[in-house]
């Protein structure tokens, strides 16, 4: 079966943490389909063809500095790659903390991601998915969102809405691609910190949303990719998270490439860097 369900809302009405405004979603039809001011979070479903056994599943969180979502570059292109190789993929268009349509800004994106992981598990039989093989991959600020779920999967970020919310929100594995991680070190991505936490967040909030400080033995196995010459989100973000994982004896694999900069997606024009997605595919087979 080959199925795609475009723009499937992840919430029933009313959407949690939403207030009525005149704000409208903005979509720029440039190559990466850049989306801002998301009003209704949705998931786009990419199911592999001709599969009889239950497949693994990956929820994809595109980046965008918590200001927007690079929906195609770091979303649908990755989903189609995985779909062709027999992995179910789900591209999440999550709400953003910079929107004036939300009340608790720092919680809105993680609420949407928790709900999506639960939704995938709740529909495992329908979509022929192994409910114990549900992972999350995030790019840039989407990597921070993914890492936040990895370390805070047991935190209740919203009140249960229906039977879907009885499912676990813990991913079986996570992948972080040139991720924003720290909110407190000298190599933080200032734009993501400001967009997520505001101009003057308190220390407790900064620490809570700095995943490298929150790793436990219960953090899922992690796969990390970064380029050494990333000037936007320094490679130290990945290094400190990897060190925290190893310190807690969490299974982790990391690939640091010498060149690639930031926001390379599948890096199809770079023969060496473009192999990262193959390494990720091989890695999830071992999980």
């Amino acid at each position: 079966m080959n199925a795609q369900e475009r723009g499937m809302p992840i919430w029933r009405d009313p959407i949690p943490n939403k207030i009525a405004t005149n704000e409208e979603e903005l979509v720029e039809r440039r190559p990466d389909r850049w989306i801002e001011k998301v009003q209704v979070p949705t998931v786009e479903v990419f199911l592999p063809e001709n599969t009889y056994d239950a497949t693994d599943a990956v929820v994809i969180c595109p980046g965008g500095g918590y200001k927007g979502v690079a929906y195609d570059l770091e979303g649908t292109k990755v989903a189609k790659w995985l779909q062709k190789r027999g992995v179910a993929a789900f591209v999440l268009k999550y709400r953003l903390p910079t929107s004036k349509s939300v009340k608790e800004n720092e919680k809105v994106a993680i609420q949407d991601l928790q709900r999506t992981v639960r939704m995938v598990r709740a529909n495992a039989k329908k979509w022929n998915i192994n409910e114990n093989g549900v992972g999350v991959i995030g790019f840039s600020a989407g990597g921070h969102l993914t890492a936040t779920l990895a370390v805070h999967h047991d935190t209740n970020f919203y009140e249960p809405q229906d039977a879907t919310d009885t499912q676990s929100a813990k991913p079986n594995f996570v992948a972080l691609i040139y991720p924003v991680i720290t909110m407190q070190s000298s190599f933080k991505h200032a734009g993501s910190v400001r967009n997520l936490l505001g101009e003057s967040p308190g220390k407790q909030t900064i620490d809570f949303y700095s995943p490298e400080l929150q790793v436990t033995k219960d953090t899922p196995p992690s796969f990390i990719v970064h380029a050494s010459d990333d000037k936007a989100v320094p490679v130290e973000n990945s290094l400190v998270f990897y060190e925290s994982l190893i310190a807690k004896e969490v299974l982790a694999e990391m690939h640091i490439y010498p060149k690639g900069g930031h926001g390379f997606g599948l890096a199809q024009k770079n023969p060496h860097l473009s192999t990262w997605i193959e390494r990720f595919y091989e890695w999830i087979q071992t999980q």
Side-chain angles (χ1 to χ4, degrees), residues 30-34 60 62-63 69-79 139 178 262-268 276:
R30 61 195 199 190
D32 60 1
R33 199 179 351 167
W34 178 261
I60 303 170
V69 178
Y71 192 78
D72 285 339
L73 175 68
E74 297 168 347
T76 60
K77 289 182 179 179
V78 178
F139 297 76
Y178 41 85
H262 190 73
F264 48 76
L266 291 178
Q268 293 170 316
W276 78 260

Side-chain angles (χ1 to χ4, degrees), residues 66 110 113-114 136 143-157 169-174 176 180-183 205-222 240-242 244-245 248 250:
Y66 281 121
I110 188 64
L113 179 54
Q114 274 196 326
V136 179
H144 179 268
L145 177 56
T146 298
T148 300
L149 179 64
V151 298
H152 293 308
H153 52 79
D154 284 336
T155 300
N156 293 319
F157 287 97
K170 180 182 178 180
N172 295 103
F173 58 87
V174 297
L176 312 173
V180 172
I181 293 292
T182 189
M183 298 278 111
T205 300
I206 291 172
D207 289 352
F208 184 85
Y209 286 99
S210 293
E212 80 278 12
L213 303 179
Q214 307 296 332
V215 173
T216 70
K217 290 183 180 295
D218 198 37
T219 300
S222 302
V240 294
F241 193 68
Y242 179 80
S244 295
L245 293 168
K248 296 295 184 179
V250 176

Side-chain angles (χ1 to χ4, degrees), residues 77-211:
K77 289 182 179 179
V78 178
K80 291 173 182 176
W81 193 99
L82 293 169
Q83 180 189 39
K84 290 179 180 178
R85 288 154 182 85
V87 178
F90 301 81
V91 182
L92 174 60
K93 183 178 73 174
Y94 54 91
R95 289 174 294 165
L96 298 152
T98 52
S99 169
K100 65 181 183 179
S101 299
V102 301
K103 293 178 285 187
E104 296 179 286
N105 301 67
E106 74 280 359
K107 291 184 179 180
V108 69
I110 188 64
Q111 289 171 335
D112 290 348
L113 179 54
Q114 274 196 326
R115 173 71 175 186
T116 302
V117 172
R118 289 169 171 152
M119 183 178 177
V120 171
R121 285 207 170 97
N123 288 279
K125 289 185 179 179
K126 172 185 174 182
W127 290 327
N128 195 27
I129 288 167
N130 171 16
E131 62 183 87
N132 295 314
V134 178
V136 179
I137 184 172
F139 297 76
S140 192
H144 179 268
L145 177 56
T146 298
T148 300
L149 179 64
V151 298
H152 293 308
H153 52 79
D154 284 336
T155 300
N156 293 319
F157 287 97
Y158 64 90
E159 291 298 320
Q161 191 178 59
D162 52 29
T164 293
D165 293 322
T166 64
Q167 299 286 334
S168 172
K170 180 182 178 180
N172 295 103
F173 58 87
V174 297
L176 312 173
I177 315 304
Y178 41 85
V180 172
I181 293 292
T182 189
M183 298 278 111
Q184 51 91 38
S185 295
S186 60
F187 48 83
K188 65 181 181 292
H189 183 250
S192 293
V193 176
R194 181 175 59 252
N195 290 336
L196 181 65
L197 303 182
E199 293 292 343
S200 54
K203 183 180 186 304
Q204 185 175 359
T205 300
I206 291 172
D207 289 352
F208 184 85
Y209 286 99
S210 293

Side-chain angles (χ1 to χ4, degrees), residues 139 177 223 257 264-266 273-280:
F139 297 76
I177 315 304
F223 179 92
Y257 291 82
F264 48 76
L266 291 178
L273 184 58
S274 64
T275 61
W276 78 260
I277 188 72
E278 297 279 359
R279 303 291 81 76
F280 170 61

